[in-house]
Amino acid sequence: MTDFGAVPGLVELIDAHGETTIVVTRERLADAAAHLREEHGFNFLSDITAVDYLGWGDAGVSGYIGTPAGRDLNTPMTQGYQALPQAKPKRFAMNYHLLALRATRPERVRLQTWIDEGEAVATLIGVWPTADFHEREAFDMMGVGIDGHPNLKRILLDDDWDGHPLRKDYPLGGEPVRFSDAV
Amino acid sequence: MALDGKRLRDLGLQSERLLMPTKGPSNFEEEVNDLEQKVGLTTLEKAVAWAQTNSMWPDTFGLACCAIEMMSIVASRYDIARFGMEPFRGSPRQADLLIISGRVSHKMAAPLRQIYDQMLEPKWVIAMGACASSGGMFNNYAIVQSVDKIVPVDMYVPGCPPRPEQLIEGIVRLHEAVKAGVPPAYELRSVAK
Amino acid sequence: MATVTQRRRHGTPIYEHSRIPHPTPSVLTTSEELRATGDIMTVNFGPNHPSTHGVLRLIVDLYGEDVTGLEAVVGYLHTGFEKNMEQKTWWKCITYPERIDYVSFQNNEYVFVAAVEKLLELEIPAKATWMRTLLCELNRIHSHLVWLGTSALELGAISMFWYAFRERDLVLDLFELVTGERMHTRYFQVGGLAEDIPRGFYPEARKFCAWMPKAIDDYETLLTRNKIWLERTQGIGLLSADDAIALGQSGPVLRGSGVDWDIRKDEPYLAYHQVDFRVPVYPEGDVYARYRVHMDEMRESVRIVDQCLDRLENMEGEPWIADDRKVVLPPREELHTSMESLIHHFKIVTEGFRVPEGEAYVAIESPRGELGCYVCSDGGPKPWRVKFRAPSFVALQAAATMMQGALIADMIAAVGSLDTVMGEVDR
């Protein structure tokens, strides 16, 4: 396990499902990115995903009742416990999926930062030029502001589109289907 | 003409539609026959319709998955060159048929209408696939729920994606309709003319 | 007499320094002095164009025949997959990813299903793993055939289209035999496969594997040493290894630039660590190198399919889906005898199974490169967020770098060699 303790702006390190998530503050994001590229060799940015957590935990969902190995249906009282989803610090999360592309010991990590409505993240084009299109998509679909992006235009929707479709308060749209409640 | 009132079956043609001896012509064929009687094309119009259907050149308007199946009807197994439709024109000004194969997003709606307007009359439109016919599985903000909101459509071919045989069935039915005297959709439907 | 280019030694740079445009990496802008000449013509390669793969719009600045400025405008096929998937249960979602990269549909299905299985921590039976590997490799052959047919068609080698699509129909016949549907098969299920492998598949697949290498030999006879093909593809669309990594390229584009990175070998998934195959890497970084990578990959895929068939033929009667009744439908016979099975069947079909809270990112090697799926679950029956990392989306960013100092005819070759599928780019 690589030691990520020296990443600037580090808030938390999460290890789940075999993946490491490095949570950093919004202000130190660019420094953290540069540090990861220079010191730890994460030279490849796979993906930038923006997630909107508006309404997280409102629907009283319960967790997966069971174990990975399967359950014996016919044995009563073998349920697991129910869980409610953990509360999130802010509304939006920006996830940067990084890859250390090397022959020996390639590694993947997720760099995560939390922002509120109206806050912006710094552009990472200087660190990984491939961030260009991904950041434009995050802006287009989620309305996440990117500071310092040289070409911040909408990429997937019309230039004059109103709103950011992947936000949770944006409706799905489309036409109502008769006799069908399902979408 | 060699037929002289003989049935195709008597001449040895065993096409799928004639395989069921107790079943008569399909609904579509009956309707087309009735239409032919009612519309009453003159010989000249019939000749023109025959020429139009036998060399109805499509425009390359492949958008998404249906485009891949449209490419396979051009390929050797489902060959539409036998219907005279092999040359897919790059320019809409030289094309007769617009096969809208794939989902049309709102951003693409304007170029689609532009391509349609650039085509010269007579022109026909086939909405290929579920997405072009009705929006398909994408009932959302991004996809136009059926291209007939934008262009008048002559033939809807369902499927996701339709098999090449399905698309050829749609094309052949369009040809039969044209030969029977059905005018292109822009003369029938008042929407988006 | 056609000659094959001298292979550049691995490690020597294709060009010095970086050619990534500044300030915007994905936009090539005409220099000021050229603009001042007044001879720049801006041409729009609109969304409807016979030679752009799908609905891609390229705004190109031309100085005579030289390309001095290039910008790719995408979004003409934006479908809102991710928003739609948030409204469907996990099971119903699986039909959506297939249509994202509509040429390599089963790879898309697999990456989504793998991400869900990662959150569920399910164990997949061996038969399902091997069959999935086989189908993904058949899909790779399918995708490369479509690429070969259409790219060669655009460069004028029209016959290639017919030959490639002839074999493509054979692959689709195999898909139809197994799943009932030529494209968009919807055969992968969370936990394994939707149904058992039908009888008669193995002999048909063997026939295909015996035929395919000869077909690839035919294609290579037509193109690989063809003088016209060499002139139109060698030295075109240069992309150095460092630029390729900086621009996030993967798949044949990266391997054609000399970087030995294939997720199937370096981060194995499915049964790839149990099969023997080579990863072709060519150091020249041009369109010809990518073409060679594609052709060699097709051969390796046929070998992988053969090895999968060897294993699968000995797995008759084994389960094809996991045994976890909270996620997977119980077998129909059980519904007649077990009340719990009936209830679970009902719950899974109506409400949908639940996936534990968490987030996962899975990356696989699709024919285009690294296809990734990020899934975030809140513990409920519907996904909270699904995001697909599409290799073509990233590949289009490299178009500007590749087109430096190129002619307009080269643009078709270079953009074609990126193997973009617009459904993926726009999602």
Side-chain angles (χ1 to χ4, degrees), chain C residues 141 145 148 166-167 211-222 224 291 294-302:
Chain C
I141 299 174
L145 284 171
L148 182 64
R166 177 189 64 189
E167 265 69 53
W211 168 253
M212 194 64 194
K214 303 190 193 103
I216 304 177
D217 286 335
D218 275 343
Y219 309 148
E220 299 225 303
T221 318
L222 277 176
T224 305
Y291 156 77
H294 277 108
M295 302 304 284
D296 288 350
E297 276 188 6
M298 273 201 275
R299 287 188 201 278
E300 298 302 321
S301 291
V302 175

Side-chain angles (χ1 to χ4, degrees), chain C residues 149-345:
Chain C
T150 49
S151 298
L153 177 69
E154 287 159 17
L155 289 183
I158 304 179
S159 316
M160 282 311 303
F161 179 75
W162 312 111
Y163 295 132
F165 273 64
R166 177 189 64 189
E167 265 69 53
R168 178 188 166 245
D169 266 316
L170 294 177
V171 176
L172 290 178
D173 280 346
L174 285 177
F175 288 153
E176 202 186 356
L177 181 57
V178 178
T179 69
E181 170 75 24
R182 282 160 57 103
M183 287 175 66
H184 301 328
T185 53
R186 184 39 182 111
Y187 188 58
F188 296 173
Q189 198 80 286
V190 173
L193 305 171
E195 289 186 19
D196 200 3
I197 304 168
R199 279 172 296 158
F201 173 67
Y202 300 129
E204 289 297 323
R206 290 278 187 205
K207 272 191 243 171
F208 173 76
C209 290
W211 168 253
M212 194 64 194
K214 303 190 193 103
I216 304 177
D217 286 335
D218 275 343
Y219 309 148
E220 299 225 303
T221 318
L222 277 176
L223 290 178
T224 305
R225 300 177 85 91
N226 183 318
K227 178 75 172 162
I228 304 174
W229 186 256
L230 290 173
E231 290 273 347
R232 283 214 68 178
T233 55
Q234 278 183 331
I236 308 292
L238 292 172
L239 191 67
S240 75
D242 291 326
D243 277 351
I245 296 179
L247 285 169
Q249 302 304 304
S250 48
V253 179
L254 190 62
R255 291 194 281 281
S257 293
V259 180
D260 187 0
W261 175 255
D262 185 334
I263 298 181
R264 297 176 293 168
K265 277 277 197 227
D266 297 302
E267 297 178 320
Y269 57 97
L270 282 176
Y272 286 111
H273 51 285
Q274 294 175 287
V275 287
D276 172 47
F277 66 103
R278 235 184 33 122
V279 171
V281 179
Y282 286 83
E284 293 90 24
D286 57 11
V287 173
Y288 187 69
R290 287 170 219 138
Y291 156 77
R292 295 299 298 274
V293 170
H294 277 108
M295 302 304 284
D296 288 350
E297 276 188 6
M298 273 201 275
R299 287 188 201 278
E300 298 302 321
S301 291
V302 175
R303 285 182 54 209
I304 298 177
V305 170
D306 249 330
Q307 290 171 66
C308 290
L309 284 170
D310 289 335
R311 293 288 193 115
L312 281 170
E313 280 166 349
N314 299 328
M315 286 192 189
E316 282 292 321
E318 285 195 20
W320 61 91
I321 197 163
D323 202 26
D324 191 340
R325 302 306 168 78
K326 286 295 184 191
V327 171
V328 166
L329 289 180
R332 288 212 82 95
E333 311 85 60
E334 244 184 58
L335 293 183
H336 297 297
T337 50
S338 162
M339 189 58 178
E340 285 78 7
S341 291
L342 196 61
I343 297 172
H344 277 81
H345 181 104

Side-chain angles (χ1 to χ4, degrees), chain A residues 17 19 43-44 46-56 61-62 64-65 67-68 70-71 73-74 84-86 95 97 99 101-102 106 108 110 112 125 129-130 132-134 137 141-142 150-151 153 155-157 165-168 170-172 183, chain C residues 23-27 71 74-75 78 82-83 86-88 118-121 245-249 259 261 263 266-267 324-327 338 340-341 344 354 356-357 359-361 363 370 374 376-380 384-385 387 389 393-394 397 425-427:
Chain A
H17 303 289
E19 297 178 7
N43 51 1
F44 191 96
S46 282
D47 181 40
I48 301 180
T49 305
V51 190
D52 180 4
Y53 287 99
L54 184 71
W56 178 262
V61 293
S62 56
Y64 171 61
I65 308 169
T67 64
R71 294 178 355 94
L73 283 184
N74 297 312
L84 286 173
Q86 288 179 315
N95 298 296
H97 294 102
L99 165 67
L101 200 155
R102 38 181 187 233
R108 284 194 188 266
R110 179 184 300 123
Q112 195 176 78
I125 285 188
T130 186
D132 185 357
F133 270 21
H134 293 295
E137 188 192 344
M141 292 279 116
M142 279 288 189
N151 191 24
K153 295 190 296 198
I155 184 170
L156 296 181
L157 295 168
L166 277 177
R167 290 190 171 195
K168 292 291 177 179
Y170 192 96
L172 178 62
V183 260
Chain C
T24 317
S26 58
V27 175
E71 184 179 356
V74 298
H78 177 65
E82 297 163 1
K83 186 95 185 168
E86 288 172 15
Q87 316 289 334
K88 302 278 181 185
K118 194 174 188 182
L119 283 179
L120 280 168
E121 294 173 9
I245 296 179
L247 285 169
Q249 302 304 304
V259 180
W261 175 255
I263 298 181
D266 297 302
E267 297 178 320
D324 191 340
R325 302 306 168 78
K326 286 295 184 191
V327 171
S338 162
E340 285 78 7
S341 291
H344 277 81
R354 294 167 181 277
E357 181 199 343
E359 48 189 14
Y361 178 76
E370 177 181 325
Y374 168 84
C376 174
S377 166
D378 64 345
W384 184 263
R385 172 86 164 101
K387 163 86 161 56
R389 188 262 186 205
F393 186 61
V394 180
Q397 293 182 82
V425 173
D426 297 335
R427 273 160 284 128

